[in-house]
Amino acid sequence: MELIVKKAGQRLDKFLSEETELSRGLANAQIRTGQVRVNEQLKKPKYAVQMGDRIHFELPKVEEVTYIAENLPLDIIYQDQDVVVVNKAQGMVVHPSAGHSQGTLVNALAYHIKDLSTINGVVRPGIVHRIDKDTSGLLMVAKNDTAHLAMADELKAKKSLRKYLALVHGNLPKERGIIEAPIGRSEKDRKKQAVTAKGKPALTHFRVLERFDDYSLIELTLETGRTHQIRVHMAYIGHPVAGDPVYGPKKTLSGKGQFLHAQTLGFTHPRTGEGMSFTAPLPEIFKETLSNLRQNQ
């Protein structure tokens, strides 16, 4: 495909991402691997495009994601004609992706739930929000598009209640606090998120519940829902989530990933307007680890 630059000045990778279906990261990668040419020459991603430049590139083939309904264990906390609340197990991915089409929450939902909303397409039916693979706990799922839009709007307006429990490294100096720091993709490692001036606003409240020698049990309340928000914010203030393989230290509590649990979920029912609130118990490995820390005090 060919694009002709009509306005000079933008970086090549930014121009390409804004003019095509490519993400900024993918555009950058395509340029670096020589799949993009400017006036038949190779350029760097930071090249400032000039008026009249002819940019040749190929859109990558999109791998079609398909999945099947699977009779997987699914802990349904609540269900009616509009809403499902599930307690996702630690280790379960929320929705299928390329190369990962089985064993996800969506595979399980497709088997256990007859109707799901279509707002997020065929790969993420019913999914209003997500939590990380190795984070356990509550998720709300929409059974129709009307319910989905209402719950998504409430999330965007910061009116939903989302409280987490986490074991973090060290002892926080204050009993309560607010972390307000923008989060975006890391410039050093594109696979990670980071606190960065170019990121989107992110706000996390924390409260210390219990202190141990080298760890603290804390409750966190989200006002925003950035990718890996709690994990990034806690690492940013020097108290990473225990067990976190990405943002935490190598020497940590042994488990099945980060000790982070979406314990409480509250929202307004999309049909009745009633306030709904749910709580999910901690996974066994989380409870056992807490018990061991208390015994070793």
Side-chain angles (χ1 to χ4, degrees):
M1 297 182 68
E2 180 183 88
L3 290 173
I4 299 176
V5 178
K6 297 181 181 178
K7 184 178 179 180
Q10 274 190 320
R11 283 177 54 118
L12 177 58
D13 56 356
K14 185 176 181 182
F15 171 82
L16 198 59
S17 68
E18 290 185 356
E19 296 294 326
T20 70
E21 299 174 2
L22 298 175
S23 67
R24 178 80 173 267
L26 187 53
N28 189 290
Q30 295 258 62
I31 295 164
R32 289 180 182 277
T33 54
Q35 299 177 64
V36 179
R37 292 181 177 270
V38 180
N39 303 323
E40 299 303 323
Q41 296 180 333
L42 297 178
K43 299 289 185 181
K44 294 183 177 180
K46 67 180 181 180
Y47 167 78
V49 298
Q50 304 297 311
M51 184 83 75
D53 278 351
R54 292 181 175 273
I55 299 173
H56 293 269
F57 67 97
E58 289 187 12
L59 286 174
K61 293 181 179 179
V62 178
E63 184 176 348
E64 186 178 352
V65 178
T66 58
Y67 66 93
I68 59 172
E70 294 181 77
N71 186 11
L72 302 170
L74 188 61
D75 186 6
I76 298 175
I77 302 296
Y78 173 83
Q79 181 177 186
D80 62 25
Q81 62 182 319
D82 301 295
V83 176
V84 182
V85 176
V86 298
N87 180 19
K88 187 188 80 67
Q90 187 179 36
M92 177 179 268
V93 175
V94 171
H95 62 78
S97 59
H100 195 111
S101 62
Q102 294 181 321
T104 75
L105 177 65
V106 163
N107 294 97
L109 286 170
Y111 182 90
H112 292 282
I113 310 297
K114 181 180 179 181
D115 298 307
L116 293 166
S117 69
T118 62
I119 296 291
N120 278 335
V122 295
V123 179
R124 291 180 285 175
I127 302 300
V128 180
H129 63 126
R130 292 175 287 177
I131 56 177
D132 299 332
K133 173 188 173 183
D134 290 328
T135 298
S136 57
L138 297 174
L139 282 168
M140 52 184 167
V141 176
K143 297 181 75 173
N144 55 69
D145 291 356
T146 300
H148 191 130
L149 289 171
M151 291 191 289
D153 285 347
E154 188 171 70
L155 272 174
K156 188 175 181 181
K158 304 176 184 177
K159 294 180 180 179
S160 300
L161 176 64
R162 287 170 292 165
K163 287 187 176 183
Y164 291 70
L165 288 184
L167 272 170
V168 300
H169 283 265
N171 271 269
L172 287 80
K174 297 180 180 180
E175 294 299 316
R176 295 173 179 267
I178 298 174
I179 309 167
E180 188 170 8
I183 292 176
R185 194 169 295 281
S186 170
E187 296 180 7
K188 296 180 180 179
D189 185 343
R190 304 301 289 176
K191 294 181 180 180
K192 292 184 179 181
Q193 301 294 305
V195 170
T196 169
K198 297 179 181 179
K200 294 181 179 180
L203 189 64
T204 306
H205 299 257
F206 69 84
R207 179 168 68 98
V208 177
L209 301 179
E210 199 170 350
R211 296 180 184 274
F212 307 102
D213 291 337
D214 300 312
Y215 299 92
S216 299
L217 176 66
I218 63 174
E219 178 187 77
L220 303 114
T221 303
L222 293 182
E223 280 201 27
T224 52
R226 308 302 172 208
T227 301
H228 300 172
Q229 178 171 319
I230 289 173
R231 298 164 65 190
V232 171
H233 269 175
M234 294 313 299
Y236 174 68
I237 66 169
H239 296 280
V241 177
D244 191 331
V246 177
Y247 303 102
K250 290 184 179 179
K251 186 178 180 181
T252 187
L253 295 173
S254 60
K256 299 177 181 178
Q258 61 268 6
F259 284 84
L260 182 60
H261 177 65
Q263 184 185 47
T264 304
L265 178 65
F267 57 90
T268 304
H269 193 280
R271 185 182 298 268
T272 68
E274 177 188 358
M276 312 284 285
S277 183
F278 304 92
T279 301
L282 285 169
E284 285 302 315
I285 193 167
F286 204 135
K287 288 192 288 187
E288 289 172 7
T289 301
L290 274 176
S291 178
N292 290 337
L293 287 171
R294 288 167 182 147
Q295 289 175 10
N296 294 330
Q297 279 290 85

